[in-house]
């Protein structure tokens, strides 16, 4: 028997309890029964987003919510500022281009976080910028951008929004929407939210809702004003993805019970342990700064192709991590700390890494990485 | 204990086997394991759509696929012809308007099917019409439009496509895409496909793919060309809704094994039985013509509000059917014959209808409807 393990940055493992919650009989999306479920989710989502605003539930992946963030607040000919430090930063720019929104880009070396001063300079040089588009965690590089500091900039500019892709961030680390002054935060179900792919979320500040009143970008399916009116009545604009929403209620109950504080601490511990372990094996992190607690991106050692690490783990041992994307392909591999995983899954993946690195000709002393991980996770022996 | 029954026109009941197929552990959307699942779905979808073309799998509800059908084939300023004989016909027009596509409308009385001659006259009067937008089954009225005959018209016009919303039609009755010459057929998971909501499908003829080359409507998430390239590699443009796709494989195996011919015959039999039963109770069908095998829309008898029938069934007996929408609200109620239901579910809903009609003051002799249904379903006693 080959047992399968999933430690990729989305989709992530879903707990058996949540899987069974989603396997309950289908209920109608416009029924009192389902309205109760949505009502409970609305409260739970506000807790998770740390906001007083309504969180919209969309039947799509996170990319759909990113598209909606642009099309619901901007108009063709408007200018956005896009921070591109990885594949998902590029996506913001692609969406702007697809809808006739002009954008200036700050190109950040993959593996680095944007400099707040660079964003400030751009905003000063061009007061017409109506939105700063960023990733809280750039999944392709394992880097967190300085969202809190960027929000400090945009908060003081009445004509500029901060749009944050929190798809692989929400639920993994601290990202208090209201306290920091984020204007739109979008998320996806299949990362730290511990659900299958298929739901996206968008939450708008009062300032962002003001922008929706004048935004003329074309939109129909991703119409946030229409979704707002519907979720206030505990339903959706179109047919809700009811089985995924049943799962959503289940995970939101868990988040509330476990508390965000404890969940963030758990992610941080798994992240520290993984980072300590790969360093103990003589490997380097890909992230030069802002290393995320959601993910550890590791530089493949000299002579080893990062894709071979991924393939050997997957094909020989049934363990799914992620390789590098686009320009990072072959150079890195990525181990996620999101979803239904525990501390011993970290021990497992580090042990597996020791094995495959040796098989690929890189001398990694058995147990050296595991020892470092154990020390972080469980204290000194 | 109040047992729950679902006979609404989407979402529909999902079989326990499919629910459990979706409850298997999450696999990565870019893995050989998942590629095998998608490869099998591609074959099964072609069988279901009766086409040689690729069927795209989208993470959204059917409305997203309708939007994509417009934005991927038309440009702002183009003209479409929209048949509006119910709520979903109106949606085609709303999508056109949202993307700057002009449209002419043929307004059909709710409960009636469009006249082919009326469409032919419009097409003759305005050769600039680039798309005819129609529902195979207008869910809000229970009427099938004459898709086969409309395709005869558009087939001979190189500059005009036939866009068919088959969301509540595909899998319920005969709709052979290639044989009839339909240019785009869109579907949703939560009707006769017997899956939860959350997946949409779009299939384009060669002629429609030609139109995509020049279409300039804004689009990003619903980019059919990008999806085509990805599904040809057994994956999706964005993160696939993997758990729903596991369910999709399961139902497609069922469709193949049971055969479309037999499945359509079953829908037809349940539809005939329901229609005979409501007539035996002295009720009238709402559909004046083209009564669909997917659904029976019934006119509420004089003195009875259709919404009260729905609410009493739901709140007192746990049975979910659908009421009328928009201008049909209160006037009708709708019983679906789609999803994981069998002949005795039809007997059940007719018996329930006899009970609630009497409670609402309409004299419906107990057993009269059931008798008529039994005779159709099981032959003479």
């Amino acid at each position: 028997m080959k047992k399968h393990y999933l430690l990729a940055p989305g989709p992530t493992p879903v707990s058996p309890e949540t899987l069974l919650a989603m396997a309950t009989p289908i209920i109608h999306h416009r029924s009192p029964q389902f309205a109760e479920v949505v009502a409970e989710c609305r409260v739970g989502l506000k807790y998770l987003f740390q906001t007083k605003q309504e969180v919209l539930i969309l039947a799509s992946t996170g990319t759909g919510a990113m598209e909606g963030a642009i099309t619901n607040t901007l108009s063709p000919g408007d200018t956005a500022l896009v921070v591109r430090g990885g594949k998902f930063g590029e996506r913001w720019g692609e969406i702007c281009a697809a809808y006739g929104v002009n954008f200036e880009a700050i190109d950040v070396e993959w593996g680095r976080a944007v400099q707040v001063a660079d964003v400030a300079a751009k905003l000063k040089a061009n007061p017409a910028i109506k939105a700063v588009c960023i990733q809280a965690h750039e999944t392709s590089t394992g880097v967190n951008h300085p969202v809190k500091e960027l929000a400090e900039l945009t908060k003081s500019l009445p004509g500029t929004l901060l749009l944050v892709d929190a798809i692989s961030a929400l639920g993994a680390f601290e990202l208090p929407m209201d306290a920091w002054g984020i204007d739109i935060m979008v998320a996806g179900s299949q990362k730290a939210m511990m659900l299958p792919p298929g739901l996206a979320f968008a939450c708008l500040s009062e300032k962002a809702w003001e922008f929706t009143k004048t935004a003329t970008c074309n939109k129909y399916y991703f119409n946030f004003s229409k979704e707002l009116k519907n979720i206030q009545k505990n339903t959706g604009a179109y047919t809700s993805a009811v089985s995924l929403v049943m799962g959503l209620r289940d995970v939101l109950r868990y988040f509330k019970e476990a508390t965000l504080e404890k969940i963030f601490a758990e992610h941080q511990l798994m992240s520290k342990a993984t980072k300590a372990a790969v360093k103990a094996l003589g490997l380097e992190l890909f992230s030069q700064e802002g290393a995320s607690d959601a993910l550890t991106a590791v530089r493949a050692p000299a002579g080893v192709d990062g894709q071979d690490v991924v393939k050997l783990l997957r094909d020989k041992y049934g363990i799914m991590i992620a390789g590098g994307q686009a320009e990072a392909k072959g150079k890195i591999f990525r181990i996620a700390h999101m979803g239904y995983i525990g501390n011993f899954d970290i021990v497992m993946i580090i042990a597996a890494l020791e094995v495959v690195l040796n098989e690929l000709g890189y001398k990694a002393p058995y147990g050296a990485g595991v020892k470092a991980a154990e020390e972080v996770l469980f204290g000194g022996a």
Side-chain angles (χ1 to χ4, degrees), chain A residues 241-372:
Chain A
V242 293
S243 56
L244 293 171
V245 176
M246 295 303 288
L248 175 64
R249 177 173 68 171
D250 195 69
V251 296
L252 290 172
R253 282 177 181 176
Y254 168 76
F255 274 100
K256 182 71 186 173
E257 196 182 295
T259 77
L260 290 182
E261 195 185 356
K262 184 159 165 282
I263 288 168
F264 296 154
E266 284 176 352
H267 281 85
Q268 193 176 48
L269 191 67
M270 289 192 289
S271 169
K272 272 190 182 167
T274 308
K275 288 166 176 63
V278 295
K279 285 177 189 164
L281 294 174
L283 304 175
E284 283 172 30
L285 298 184
F286 183 60
S287 46
Q288 305 290 299
E289 59 215 337
S292 183
D293 285 340
L295 176 76
T296 297
V298 185
R299 219 175 261 283
V304 174
D305 186 319
Q307 289 302 99
D308 289 340
V309 175
V310 174
K311 279 181 198 156
L312 197 56
L313 281 170
R314 183 187 76 198
D315 297 339
K316 187 166 178 186
Y317 297 107
I319 302 169
M320 189 81 194
I321 63 167
Q325 296 168 289
E327 66 176 71
K329 195 161 189 167
K331 294 183 196 163
I332 67 171
F333 53 88
R334 296 174 296 148
I335 300 165
H337 319 305
M338 295 182 286
Y340 180 67
I341 59 165
N343 289 341
F344 285 105
D345 288 313
I346 301 299
V347 172
M348 180 279 295
I349 184 62
I350 296 302
L353 195 57
E354 292 174 357
V355 173
V356 299
L357 286 173
N358 277 287
E359 289 183 8
L360 291 169
Y362 176 81
K363 296 287 170 205
Y366 275 15
V370 168
K371 175 175 180 288

Side-chain angles (χ1 to χ4, degrees), chain A residues 6 8-14 18-19 22 58-63 167 187-201 241 243-245 247-248:
Chain A
L6 179 59
T12 62
V14 172
T18 305
L19 289 170
M22 294 185 294
L58 308 166
S60 76
T61 68
T63 300
I167 294 170
S189 51
Q190 78 279 14
K191 312 274 183 178
M193 288 183 74
M194 304 192 295
L195 288 171
L199 288 184
F201 306 92
S243 56
L244 293 171
V245 176
L248 175 64

Side-chain angles (χ1 to χ4, degrees), chain A residues 61-232:
Chain A
T61 68
T63 300
M66 290 173 72
E67 174 173 321
I70 296 290
T71 59
N72 283 272
T73 57
L74 302 178
S75 303
D78 280 353
T79 301
L81 176 63
V82 171
V83 174
R84 297 192 296 199
K87 189 187 164 186
F88 296 97
E90 289 171 5
R91 185 162 294 178
W92 278 126
E94 291 165 10
I95 295 169
C96 286
Y99 280 89
V101 172
N102 302 321
F103 68 93
E104 295 188 21
I106 297 182
D107 285 313
V108 177
E109 187 191 341
W110 284 41
R112 290 201 174 273
V114 73
Q115 296 297 308
V116 178
D118 290 348
V119 175
K122 281 276 188 190
L123 288 172
K124 201 171 173 189
N126 187 354
I129 290 170
K130 289 186 78 172
V132 176
C133 305
I134 190 101
Q135 272 61 41
H137 166 223
E138 172 57 65
T139 322
S140 61
T141 64
V143 168
N144 286 359
H145 288 299
V147 169
K148 186 181 182 183
E149 291 74 12
L150 296 176
E152 288 298 326
L153 295 178
T154 51
K155 265 197 293 189
S156 62
L157 302 171
T160 309
L161 299 177
L162 180 62
L163 274 47
V164 176
D165 161 6
I167 294 170
S168 64
L170 185 77
F173 55 84
E174 181 70 349
L175 206 58
M177 166 143 178
D178 289 0
W180 285 4
I182 295 167
D183 291 306
I184 304 190
M185 198 148 89
V186 302
S189 51
Q190 78 279 14
K191 312 274 183 178
M193 288 183 74
M194 304 192 295
L195 288 171
L199 288 184
F201 306 92
C203 187
L204 282 71
S205 69
E206 282 180 30
K207 187 175 161 188
W209 281 117
E210 278 301 313
F211 275 58
T212 66
K213 294 177 185 168
T214 53
T216 62
C217 275
N218 296 141
K219 58 197 156 280
Y220 188 82
Y221 186 71
F222 298 113
N223 184 323
F224 286 178
S225 303
K226 197 168 171 182
E227 291 293 348
L228 179 65
K229 275 183 210 140
N230 277 276
I231 199 161
Q232 285 168 339

